Amino acid sequence: MKNISSYLTARVTKIFSQSSQRWLAYSLLLIAYSGMLNSCNEKKAEEPQEEEKETTEVALSESQYKTVGIETGIVEDRNLNKVIKANGYTTVPPQNSAEVSTLIGGTVKDIYVLEGTFVNKGKVLATIQNLEVIGMQEDYQSAAANVEYLQLEYNRQKTLSDENVNPRKTFQEVKAKLAAERARAQAAKNKLDALHVNTKGTTSVVPIVSPISGFVGKINIAKGAFANTGVSLFEVTDNRQMHLDLNVYEKDLGSISIGQVIDFVLTNQSNKSIKGKIFGINKSFSNESKTVAVHAKIDPADAKGLIPGMYVSANINITNATVPALPKDAVVRNADKYFVFVQEENYTEEKHEHKEGEKEEVHEKEIHFKAIEVVPGTTDLGFTEIKFVDKIDSQAKIVTKGAFYLLSAMKGGGEHEH
């Protein structure tokens, strides 16, 4: 019995000793594994710091450059500071626009112009036919003939009156008749002149002439139709004296004065900036919006191609200060900073090493760009004021179109693989 007890005690002691060793081994393995995890985590934490190093350069192949449609330009000086914004439209002075009508009704016989045709003052646009015109000519010719006869009779009666041969009453009667016929002849002539009809001969055709030089606008008649008096038959506009009517709010009136220069762009056209100068300010409100019309003339050379009624966005320059500016599409935002891309002219191409016997590949030429940080200012008329954080060459080629694509390529790595 003692032998059995001794055996069991020795066995249990051995098993317990082995279990302690195993437990110690397991503990050591866990400590080692934890240390490896911590080491890996530290390395992973260090890796993003290396990746966080920002790249400021990007390269495009020539084919990519053409496909994207990259365009470059230089910094320009523009009036963008201290301005009053105003909207309006192009128009012409009242004396440069005409609606042509007729003083006598009639049937349209001929039309000699098309819409868009340039005509000089006095040009016949169309003709109408009215038989009453023949009666006007007859009235004039009859009155003119009576004037001729009464003039002879007047001269004769004056001589007899001066010699006391005839009573003076007879002379006075002839004198009164002559004055009446002269008035009748002149009235008939005035009617024919107003209709642009010749006093000689007889005709029923009345010409419709242009009162000003300009371009024919809308034509409101057709051949064979009846043209009524007081109804517009043609519109003629002379665009050579084009100007702007801008709507300025009451709060800005104190800053507006005659002679101030404006920059404006056509709302539905390109961003080409056109200059003008204020020459008149209305003294009453235009409508319920509490705006006052401000008139600005445009240089005739810049007015070419403009037509009345085109909407414009304008900046009225309160001062003549100029600032460096670029087209607004040239400035891109990355996080909380703003950049422009400058084309690098003297970039040294990286040489590619090839193993002995390996065929040399033909590499397409690359165009390199560098992101330059800027501080943007006022954005007006499609241009943005910029200040460079670091000074650059004034003639540097700056990307004005395609900057957003370059930013995307730069953020994606910007490296070109061969």
Side-chain angles (χ1 to χ4, degrees):
M1 187 69 178
K2 287 182 179 180
N3 292 335
I4 294 173
S5 177
S6 299
Y7 173 79
L8 290 174
T9 300
R11 186 66 177 168
V12 169
T13 302
K14 184 178 180 181
I15 292 172
F16 180 79
S17 176
Q18 290 176 348
S19 298
S20 298
Q21 292 175 356
R22 288 174 184 171
W23 174 253
L24 180 61
Y26 289 152
S27 298
L28 291 173
L29 285 173
L30 285 173
I31 292 171
Y33 183 69
S34 298
M36 291 173 64
L37 285 176
N38 290 336
S39 176
C40 290
N41 289 335
E42 288 177 0
K43 288 183 179 180
K44 288 181 178 179
E46 291 174 357
E47 287 176 1
Q49 291 179 358
E50 293 178 358
E51 293 178 355
E52 285 176 2
K53 185 178 179 181
E54 294 182 356
T55 178
T56 59
E57 296 188 2
V58 62
L60 296 181
S61 64
E62 285 188 333
S63 58
Q64 288 175 320
Y65 184 94
K66 294 177 182 178
T67 302
V68 174
I70 299 292
E71 294 181 7
T72 60
I74 61 174
V75 178
E76 302 179 34
D77 288 334
R78 286 186 172 266
N79 288 319
L80 296 180
N81 278 344
K82 295 183 181 179
V83 297
I84 293 176
K85 294 176 178 291
N87 295 321
Y89 54 91
T90 56
T91 185
V92 293
Q95 64 269 23
N96 287 67
S97 179
E99 292 194 1
V100 185
S101 60
T102 178
L103 295 174
I104 186 172
T107 303
V108 178
K109 185 174 184 292
D110 291 299
I111 300 174
Y112 299 111
V113 294
L114 298 173
E115 292 182 357
T117 304
F118 181 83
V119 295
N120 290 312
K121 182 180 180 179
K123 166 74 175 178
V124 177
L125 307 178
T127 55
I128 63 172
Q129 206 164 21
N130 190 317
L131 298 177
E132 293 179 8
V133 179
I134 297 176
M136 294 179 189
Q137 289 177 306
E138 290 177 348
D139 289 344
Y140 169 75
Q141 292 165 5
S142 174
N146 288 338
V147 167
E148 185 178 355
Y149 166 74
L150 289 172
Q151 183 66 53
L152 295 173
E153 184 63 17
Y154 171 83
N155 294 337
R156 189 173 73 85
Q157 290 297 331
K158 187 177 186 300
T159 302
L160 294 174
S161 176
D162 291 342
E163 296 176 355
N164 294 322
V165 175
N166 279 350
R168 191 160 185 84
K169 179 182 178 181
T170 303
F171 171 69
Q172 294 293 343
E173 289 176 351
V174 173
K175 182 179 179 181
K177 287 180 181 179
L178 176 59
E181 285 301 311
R182 278 178 175 169
R184 192 163 74 90
Q186 188 61 46
K189 184 178 184 302
N190 290 344
K191 287 182 181 179
L192 294 172
D193 288 345
L195 296 174
H196 305 282
V197 175
N198 200 323
T199 55
K200 297 178 180 180
T202 55
T203 181
S204 61
V205 176
V206 178
I208 307 298
V209 302
S210 176
I212 62 172
S213 296
F215 291 92
V216 177
K218 191 175 181 181
I219 299 177
N220 300 317
I221 57 173
K223 191 171 182 179
F226 189 85
N228 289 304
T229 59
V231 176
S232 176
L233 308 180
F234 298 89
E235 294 178 2
V236 180
T237 304
D238 183 0
N239 295 340
R240 290 175 292 183
Q241 298 297 323
M242 187 75 65
H243 72 267
L244 300 180
D245 277 356
L246 302 175
N247 299 316
V248 176
Y249 287 99
E250 181 181 4
K251 65 182 179 66
D252 296 322
L253 281 178
S255 302
I256 305 297
S257 61
I258 293 175
Q260 287 176 333
V261 176
I262 67 168
D263 293 298
F264 72 93
V265 295
L266 303 173
T267 304
N268 298 319
Q269 301 291 328
S270 64
N271 282 332
K272 178 186 176 183
S273 179
I274 304 175
K275 291 189 178 295
K277 183 178 289 187
I278 295 176
F279 69 88
I281 303 171
N282 278 15
K283 302 303 179 183
S284 60
F285 290 110
S286 301
N287 46 45
E288 295 180 357
S289 64
K290 291 294 183 181
T291 60
V292 173
V294 173
H295 309 286
K297 62 183 177 182
I298 310 169
D299 189 281
D302 292 329
K304 291 180 179 179
L306 301 182
I307 60 176
M310 301 178 79
Y311 287 95
V312 301
S313 298
N315 281 347
I316 302 174
N317 299 312
I318 306 305
T319 63
N320 291 326
T322 57
V323 294
L326 286 170
K328 63 181 182 181
D329 291 338
V331 183
V332 291
R333 182 176 180 177
N334 186 17
D336 58 347
K337 295 182 180 180
Y338 293 86
F339 298 89
V340 297
F341 284 92
V342 177
Q343 183 173 330
E344 297 183 285
E345 297 292 338
N346 300 320
Y347 188 87
T348 304
E349 289 285 343
E350 181 183 350
K351 293 184 178 180
H352 301 275
E353 297 182 358
H354 299 275
K355 295 179 180 179
E356 186 177 350
E358 182 181 352
K359 185 179 180 181
E360 185 176 352
E361 297 179 6
V362 177
H363 299 285
E364 189 175 2
K365 181 181 177 182
E366 289 184 339
I367 302 170
H368 292 256
F369 302 90
K370 186 174 183 179
I372 305 295
E373 186 178 354
V374 296
V375 178
T378 305
T379 298
D380 283 314
L381 302 173
F383 285 81
T384 298
E385 174 193 1
I386 58 166
K387 294 180 181 178
F388 289 95
V389 175
D390 297 317
K391 188 176 180 180
I392 68 166
D393 184 0
S394 61
Q395 297 300 313
K397 290 184 178 180
I398 299 175
V399 176
T400 58
K401 183 178 179 182
F404 183 78
Y405 177 88
L406 294 178
L407 176 65
S408 300
M410 186 181 75
K411 291 171 70 175
E415 294 183 358
H416 181 72
E417 294 183 1
H418 297 280

